[in-house]
């Protein structure tokens, strides 16, 4: 139930030097120097092709000669390989339908809920019995899943086979604005480590804006939820990690927990 | 909490119930605490009375319009007050466009009955001329943000609207109504202040003012309207059953909490004085 | 059914000192207050007070199209629902949506569509709900302005914001931003909106009569007023984040 493997390049977006923290809105001109700069994420050339403009409300960031805008608001678009927390909302004998906080529901087929273990008995290959039925999970279950396929036209497909994946039967799931997820993880997982150490909770953060957490008791869980809400609100400020550690220590004293 | 979905996850349900078993709520309240009330009055100039009521994240805007018309034949000397509620689709992904659904009709009906049977509106004073002309009041409730317990928020906002209202005063001259230049204000229209309180029930646990996640997993709800010393209307909704003891307890509780809330909100401060 | 006080218009729309009835100059806008992100259930939201107009806007999307047959396989659809509260006008409006509301919904949809990349979201819908709590002239312009903000607040990729204002002629003089009385008693009314990525007109209606020279003046005046409104929109979008930044950066924020 660790998140350390998630600190890919994308999750470092927010943690950067102060000079990149210019706030921009849709249509705002980022540069008129199109010789030295290229439009990156969240940006576009205007119709006359003499300016680069922003598409989103976000923070301007220059990496090499690309101008990017890191969005502050936005919705989740599924991509293959993403880990997502899914809620089963419907099932029929051949598939589960899951809510993954995207525009479409995702499909989970029963064959992707079992490990492909082929048991040999007397030389004959026996099929795993549960392989083709949707008995394993029920409506209302929370699953940590991985997206195996997703494109614009078809419903995304999920799998629960893999490390850390599968059903969660305790704890609680909260959701925050998707673009602020990287901030909850922090540079190389620094924020998430801090949260884990200080609140002694298990946390699993996924790209679709959902966070599963489980603590010793309700008081610790509530503290962590409040802390995450604070991170969400202040995601675009600098020095957040230090402030959070201070905040949690203060709150612990106030609430009388350790 | 997870964003709003029609299906509530099992672990979220367990989390809410575990909190309730500890006599706590997921937002840190006790079982018998309301969320924070915020009331603004007379914010809409085109209405003859209006209120903007926030109960936690639930937000309701209510306005009053009037017309002069003929009374009903069976009550020739009484004015009429009708309550309408609309759950705007901007308030929640759970609300859909289209004609009023059960939920909005229930909201309007419960608020209406709470007011009607409590000697709240002085319908006799809303009569200009017997058999000929009475005031017809329209109290229209619009839900702006839905975060649970619309009935209590709607009830308070309807009351605030009536208290803050200022209707042109008419007199009967020969065979038609003329404006005297004065206004009828809240004090004339409203007498008793009935407060509607909604209790949720999950399993054996009963609590006041369900928030949205609690409301979505509620087995049932019961709304009780109380004046200072009387119960004036009760509405049980949802598939839960309540024991007689529970209901007796709730009536007592409603009376006690209703009086407390009435004192705390001090709704008479919202009346307007027009010279 | 009757009302005791009648809805009457004054004969003159200018005061003796040459100002308009509400004390404004010819080119002056009414006070505008904009706020974003006020409704926490919606994906994006905004609230506007423009003179006496009070309007909420909320955006949901991209989400599944309902009813399903409206979905297009090659692009997403934008749907705008403009509604007025029963008590938003002088005489109580009937609760069901009327023809006027449907027409305004349609022109706002057409006005906002050029700034969105609908082709990137096939089979989905973006829904914008606009609810007018109080109306006092120019609600279609105010609604367009606030709906653009709500879309930006939802984080939906946009080419630019959209701003809108009405220009009109009252008592023979050309004025900007007609109030309710001026709208009803005036001679001409021209609501227009601009998409800032190409600086072109995206909403245009006109009622009244005027010659070609006047039309030129109208559009020139409108452009100046629209720039003013655009600045307010930018501030509204940014201020929410800047106040939090300032709190922790010791007031040093770059804009």
């Amino acid at each position: 139930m660790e998140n350390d493997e998630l600190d890919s390049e994308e999750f470092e977006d927010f943690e950067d030097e102060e000079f990149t923290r210019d706030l921009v809105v849709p249509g705002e001109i980022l540069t008129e120097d199109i010789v030295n700069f290229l439009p990156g994420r969240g940006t576009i050339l205007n119709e006359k092709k003499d300016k680069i403009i922003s598409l989103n409300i976000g923070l301007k960031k220059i990496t090499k000669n690309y101008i990017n805008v890191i969005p502050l608001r936005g919705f989740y678009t599924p991509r293959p390989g993403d880990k997502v927390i899914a809620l089963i909302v419907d099932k029929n004998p051949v598939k589960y339908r899951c809510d993954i906080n995207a525009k479409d529901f995702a499909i989970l087929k029963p064959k992707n809920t079992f490990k492909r273990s082929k048991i040999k008995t007397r030389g004959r290959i026996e099929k795993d019995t549960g392989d083709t039925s949707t008995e394993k999970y029920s409506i209302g279950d929370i699953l940590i899943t991985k997206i195996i396929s997703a494109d614009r036209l078809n419903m995304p497909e999920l799998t629960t086979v893999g490390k850390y994946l599968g059903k969660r039967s305790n704890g609680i799931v909260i959701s925050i604005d998707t673009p602020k997820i990287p901030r909850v993880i922090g540079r190389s997982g620094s924020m998430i480590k801090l949260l884990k150490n200080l609140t002694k909770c298990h946390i699993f953060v996924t790209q679709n804006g959902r966070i599963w957490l489980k603590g010793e008791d309700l008081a610790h869980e509530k503290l962590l939820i409040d802390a995450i809400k604070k991170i969400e609100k202040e995601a675009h400020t600098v020095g957040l990690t230090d402030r959070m550690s201070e905040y949690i220590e203060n709150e612990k004293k106030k609430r009388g927990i350790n | 909490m997870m964003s709003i979905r029609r299906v509530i996850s099992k672990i979220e349900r367990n989390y809410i119930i575990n909190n309730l078993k500890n006599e706590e709520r997921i937002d840190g309240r006790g079982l018998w605490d309301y969320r924070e009330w915020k009331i603004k009055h007379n914010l809409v100039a085109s209405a003859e009375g209006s209120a903007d009521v926030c109960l936690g994240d639930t937000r309701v805007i209510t306005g009053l319009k009037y017309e002069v018309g003929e009374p009903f034949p069976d009550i020739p000397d009484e004015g009429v007050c009708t309550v309408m509620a609309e759950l705007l689709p901007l308030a929640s992904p759970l609300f859909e466009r289209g004609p009023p659904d059960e939920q909005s009709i229930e909201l309007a009906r419960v608020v209406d009955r709470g007011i009607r049977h409590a000697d709240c509106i002085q319908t006799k004073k809303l009569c200009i001329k017997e058999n000929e002309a009475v005031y017809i009041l329209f109290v229209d409730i619009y839900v702006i943000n839905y975060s649970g317990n619309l009935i209590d928020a709607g009830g308070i906002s309807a009351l605030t609207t009536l208290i803050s209202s200022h209707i042109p005063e008419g007199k009967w001259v020969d065979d038609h109504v003329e404006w005297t230049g004065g206004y009828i204000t809240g004090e004339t229209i409203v007498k008793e202040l009935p407060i509607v309180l909604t209790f949720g029930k999950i399993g054996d646990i009963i609590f006041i003012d369900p928030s949205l996640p609690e409301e979505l997993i509620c087995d049932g709800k019961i709304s009780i309207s109380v004046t200072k010393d009387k119960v004036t209307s009760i509405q049980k909704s949802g598939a839960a059953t309540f024991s007689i003891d529970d209901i007796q307890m709730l009536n007592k509780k409603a009376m006690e909490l209703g009086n407390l809330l009435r004192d705390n909100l001090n709704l008479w401060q919202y009346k307007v004085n027009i010279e | 059914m009757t009302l005791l006080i009648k809805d009457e218009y004054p004969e003159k729309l200018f005061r003796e000192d040459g100002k308009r009835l509400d004390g404004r100059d010819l080119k002056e806008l009414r006070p505008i207050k904009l706020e974003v992100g006020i409704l926490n259930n919606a994906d994006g939201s905004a609230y506007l007070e423009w003179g006496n107009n009070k309007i909420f806007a909320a955006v949901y999307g991209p989400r599944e199209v309902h009813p399903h047959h409206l979905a297009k396989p090659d692009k997403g659809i934008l749907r705008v629902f403009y509604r007025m509260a029963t008590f938003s006008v002088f005489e109580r409006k009937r609760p069901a949506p009327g023809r006027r509301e449907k027409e305004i919904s349609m022109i706002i949809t057409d006005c906002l569509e050029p700034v969105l990349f609908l082709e990137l979201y096939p089979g989905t819908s973006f829904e914008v709900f606009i609810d007018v709590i109080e109306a006092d002239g120019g609600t279609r312009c105010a609604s367009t302005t606030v709906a653009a903000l709500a879309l930006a607040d939802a984080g939906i990729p946009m080419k630019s914001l959209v701003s809108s204002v009405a220009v009109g002629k009252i008592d023979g003089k050309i004025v900007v931003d007609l109030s309710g009385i001026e709208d009803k008693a005036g001679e001409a009314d021209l609501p227009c909106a601009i998409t800032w990525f190409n600086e072109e007109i995206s909403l245009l209606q006109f009622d009244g009569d005027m010659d070609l020279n006047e039309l030129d003046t109208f559009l020139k005046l409108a452009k100046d007023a629209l720039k003013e409104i655009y600045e307010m929109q930018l501030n509204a979008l940014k201020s929410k984040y800047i106040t939090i930044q300032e709190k922790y950066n010791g007031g040093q924020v770059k804009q």
Side-chain angles (χ1 to χ4, degrees):
Chain A
M1 292 171 205
E2 301 299 318
N3 244 123
D4 301 340
E5 60 187 297
L6 277 173
D7 47 7
S8 61
E9 189 195 333
E10 190 196 345
F11 286 119
E12 292 175 25
D13 273 338
F14 268 108
E15 291 274 349
D16 248 303
E17 302 304 316
E18 197 169 345
F19 62 82
T20 62
R21 307 210 159 263
D22 291 359
L23 195 60
V24 293
V25 300
E28 198 161 322
I29 297 160
L30 299 170
T31 181
E32 298 192 13
D33 177 8
I34 56 154
V35 183
N36 295 320
F37 290 108
L38 289 165
R41 263 176 62 202
T43 61
I44 195 176
L45 274 174
N46 71 342
E47 292 200 337
K48 289 180 195 149
K49 306 219 184 295
D50 60 351
K51 286 168 195 154
I52 296 174
I53 57 173
S54 168
L55 292 177
N56 257 315
I57 174 150
L59 302 171
K60 178 174 160 185
K61 184 192 175 191
I62 299 170
T63 22
K64 291 176 191 160
N65 53 350
Y66 281 96
I67 293 193
N68 301 297
V69 170
I70 301 147
L72 283 168
R73 301 273 290 165
F75 43 87
Y76 173 64
T77 314
R79 284 175 308 179
D82 279 1
K83 291 211 173 71
V84 295
I85 291 176
L87 164 68
I88 300 182
V89 294
D90 193 10
K91 70 172 185 177
N92 61 25
V94 292
K95 66 186 179 204
Y96 305 94
R97 261 151 56 96
C98 304
D99 176 284
I100 56 164
N101 196 24
K103 67 184 173 66
D104 291 320
F105 289 119
I107 299 294
L108 175 62
K109 290 181 182 161
K111 67 170 186 194
N112 291 324
T113 62
F114 293 93
K115 269 196 185 130
R116 297 275 172 82
S117 57
K118 284 166 185 168
I119 310 147
K120 279 188 181 176
T121 34
R122 290 182 201 157
R124 207 178 68 219
I125 296 168
E126 259 184 26
K127 248 181 126 185
D128 205 331
T129 45
D131 218 22
T132 52
S133 72
T134 51
E135 308 262 295
K136 193 172 177 185
Y137 304 125
S138 52
I139 293 173
D141 279 352
I142 287 285
L143 308 173
I144 296 185
T145 62
K146 197 163 94 179
I147 295 180
I148 45 179
S149 77
D151 58 50
R152 267 177 208 161
L153 288 170
N154 298 309
M155 288 169 122
E157 210 172 307
L158 305 174
T159 178
T160 59
V161 179
K163 205 178 170 191
Y164 309 125
L165 304 185
K167 179 176 156 181
R168 291 284 176 272
S169 46
N170 50 19
I172 179 70
V173 174
I174 60 169
S175 37
I176 65 167
D177 266 3
T178 320
K180 288 165 188 164
I181 281 288
R183 205 56 161 133
V184 179
I185 292 171
R187 173 172 274 179
S188 5
S190 57
M191 183 69 88
I192 205 167
K193 269 178 206 147
L194 178 110
L195 293 176
K196 262 179 207 168
N197 291 339
L198 288 181
T199 63
K200 295 174 195 144
C201 290
H202 294 287
I203 312 176
F204 198 96
V205 183
T206 62
Q207 276 105 326
N208 64 340
R210 290 184 180 159
I211 300 164
W212 175 86
L213 53 99
K214 165 95 183 81
E216 284 174 8
D217 51 33
L218 292 174
H220 282 89
E221 287 174 4
K222 275 188 180 161
L223 172 61
L224 180 56
I225 293 172
D226 290 346
I228 292 171
K229 291 284 169 202
K230 190 173 161 69
I231 297 173
E232 183 189 15
K233 204 174 143 209
E234 297 168 12
H236 58 293
T237 59
V238 289
L240 187 57
T241 319
D242 296 340
R243 270 209 317 283
M244 285 316 297
S245 125
E246 203 178 301
Y247 168 82
I248 295 174
E249 292 292 355
N250 282 343
E251 284 294 308
K252 270 181 170 175
K253 269 178 217 149
K254 234 187 265 172
R255 300 178 191 201
I257 50 178
N258 48 29
Chain B
M1 295 300 101
M2 245 161 90
S3 46
I4 312 151
R5 296 286 181 264
R6 280 208 172 70
V7 178
I8 296 285
S9 71
K10 283 180 188 166
I11 64 175
E12 190 160 2
R13 183 185 294 266
N14 289 339
Y15 180 73
I16 294 169
I17 293 172
N18 288 341
N19 267 291
L20 286 172
K21 277 182 188 154
N22 283 358
E23 307 224 329
E24 266 182 59
R25 310 282 285 274
I26 47 171
D27 43 12
R29 289 180 283 159
L31 289 182
W32 307 108
D33 294 338
Y34 264 102
R35 288 169 284 174
E36 192 194 352
W37 288 95
K38 274 186 216 145
I39 302 177
K40 277 187 224 158
H41 72 296
N42 255 335
L43 64 155
V44 182
S46 56
E48 271 74 35
S50 56
D52 176 355
V53 171
C54 295
L55 172 56
D57 282 337
T58 295
R59 185 169 181 190
V60 169
I61 294 183
T62 306
L64 179 134
K65 291 300 288 182
Y66 79 100
E67 275 173 7
V68 176
E70 277 182 26
F72 290 120
D74 53 335
I75 36 168
D77 61 339
E78 288 188 24
V80 183
C81 176
T82 58
V83 179
M84 186 209 76
E86 196 165 331
L87 311 179
L88 298 175
L90 104 166
S92 167
L94 302 178
F95 294 166
E96 279 165 16
R97 292 178 310 114
D101 62 349
E102 286 170 8
Q103 206 185 350
S104 68
I105 290 170
E106 189 194 21
L107 168 60
R109 293 265 309 148
V110 173
V111 171
D112 192 19
R113 283 167 37 212
I115 294 172
R116 194 174 295 272
H117 300 294
D119 192 22
C120 167
I121 300 178
Q122 303 296 295
T123 44
K124 290 230 156 71
K125 290 187 180 158
L126 293 174
C127 174
I128 301 171
K129 167 87 179 159
E130 208 171 307
N131 280 321
E132 299 285 348
V134 295
Y135 287 103
I136 299 162
L137 305 186
F138 298 93
V139 176
D140 296 329
I141 302 173
Y142 282 84
V143 178
I144 300 290
N145 200 48
Y146 171 48
S147 188
N149 201 4
L150 292 176
I151 290 178
D152 294 14
I156 293 293
S157 88
L159 265 191
T160 314
T161 305
L162 287 165
I163 288 171
S164 74
S165 60
H166 42 89
I167 303 163
E169 192 182 18
K171 62 170 187 251
W172 188 256
V173 181
D174 301 330
D175 59 345
H176 64 281
V177 182
E178 268 181 23
W179 184 31
T180 61
Y183 287 89
I184 301 175
T185 53
E187 285 159 300
T188 321
I189 304 168
V190 183
K191 192 174 164 202
E192 286 280 349
L193 296 184
I195 304 267
V196 51
L197 302 98
T198 299
F199 301 88
K201 182 176 180 182
I202 301 175
D204 294 334
I205 310 160
I206 300 180
F207 51 91
I208 202 169
D209 183 25
S211 65
L212 184 58
E214 287 163 347
E215 192 163 297
L216 291 175
I217 68 157
C218 250
D219 299 326
K221 289 187 295 176
I222 192 162
S223 299
I224 303 175
S225 297
V226 290
T227 58
K228 268 204 182 70
D229 46 4
K230 283 197 182 78
V231 175
T232 62
S233 90
I234 301 181
Q235 173 98 347
K236 186 234 118 184
S237 59
T241 52
F242 291 82
S243 70
I244 308 271
D245 290 346
D246 276 348
I247 292 170
Q248 283 170 339
M249 184 273 286
L250 284 176
N251 282 337
K252 255 187 223 131
K253 204 87 193 175
M255 201 68 88
E256 176 196 325
L257 293 171
N259 284 332
L260 189 70
L261 184 63
R262 194 181 296 109
D263 291 345
N264 285 344
L265 294 179
N266 183 22
L267 292 176
W268 280 114
Q269 65 178 303
Y270 301 113
K271 69 168 190 255
V272 288
N273 293 313
I274 294 182
E275 303 303 320
Chain C
M1 297 288 172
T2 50
L3 300 173
L4 292 176
I5 303 178
K6 297 281 179 291
D7 198 7
E8 282 163 356
Y9 313 129
E11 281 181 17
K12 279 193 178 163
L13 290 168
F14 285 98
R15 302 197 307 211
E16 287 186 355
D17 58 356
K19 295 205 172 183
R20 288 150 78 178
L21 288 180
D22 45 12
R24 284 186 289 155
D25 287 330
L26 296 181
K27 294 180 191 173
E28 200 177 332
L29 294 169
R30 286 173 283 176
I32 298 178
K33 194 183 118 191
L34 287 160
E35 259 178 275
V36 295
I38 33 134
L39 307 175
N40 55 5
N41 286 340
D43 296 325
S45 60
Y47 171 67
L48 163 140
E49 279 181 25
W50 182 330
N52 277 338
N53 288 318
K54 293 185 180 68
I55 303 173
F56 286 91
V59 174
Y60 288 92
R63 64 179 182 185
E64 241 179 304
V65 189
H66 193 81
H68 205 72
H69 66 86
L70 292 175
K72 289 183 184 165
D74 57 338
K75 62 183 265 197
I77 55 171
L78 173 72
R79 301 170 86 199
V80 177
F81 301 101
Y82 167 97
R83 288 289 307 279
M84 289 172 88
T86 53
F87 48 79
S88 64
V89 281
F90 187 79
E91 202 161 338
R92 183 177 185 259
K93 195 195 83 70
R94 296 173 63 87
R99 284 153 52 91
R100 180 177 168 277
E101 284 160 298
K102 289 196 174 147
E103 187 222 341
I104 293 182
S105 303
M106 192 203 78
I107 63 155
I108 296 176
T109 313
D110 294 346
C111 170
L112 295 173
E113 223 181 279
V115 298
L116 298 176
F117 296 90
L118 291 177
E119 63 280 6
L120 296 182
Y121 311 97
T124 59
S125 73
F126 294 91
E127 287 173 14
V128 183
F129 298 103
I130 300 168
D131 279 277
V132 180
I133 295 301
E134 188 177 347
D136 184 26
T139 53
R140 72 193 69 194
C141 299
S143 300
T144 312
T145 308
V146 71
L149 273 190
L151 282 169
D153 180 53
I156 295 167
M158 290 164 86
K159 288 174 197 159
S160 72
L161 292 175
V162 182
S163 317
S164 177
V165 78
V167 197
K169 194 159 81 169
I170 54 172
D171 286 359
K173 286 181 188 162
I174 297 175
V175 294
V176 170
D177 184 20
L178 300 158
S179 69
I181 297 170
E182 291 167 343
D183 192 10
K184 284 171 196 149
E187 292 117 64
D189 172 27
L190 180 138
C192 63
I194 193 164
T195 51
W196 290 104
F197 69 96
N198 53 4
E199 305 211 359
E200 287 184 347
I201 301 292
S202 171
L203 178 156
L204 190 63
Q205 288 186 307
F206 175 70
D207 297 293
D209 62 297
M210 60 177 165
D211 56 44
L212 287 175
N213 284 339
E214 276 177 327
L215 190 66
D216 290 349
T217 342
F218 267 51
L219 292 172
K220 223 170 272 162
L221 272 181
K223 187 133 193 212
D224 294 341
L226 287 169
K227 280 221 173 82
E228 216 176 303
I229 293 165
Y230 184 49
E231 286 302 317
M232 289 185 223
Q233 284 177 300
L234 292 186
N235 281 336
L237 268 179
K238 288 184 179 178
S239 64
K240 181 179 152 193
Y241 298 97
I242 286 176
T243 40
I244 299 174
Q245 271 185 341
E246 274 174 349
K247 196 171 151 195
Y248 297 110
N249 296 9
Q252 291 174 355
V253 193
K254 279 185 174 180
Q255 276 196 43

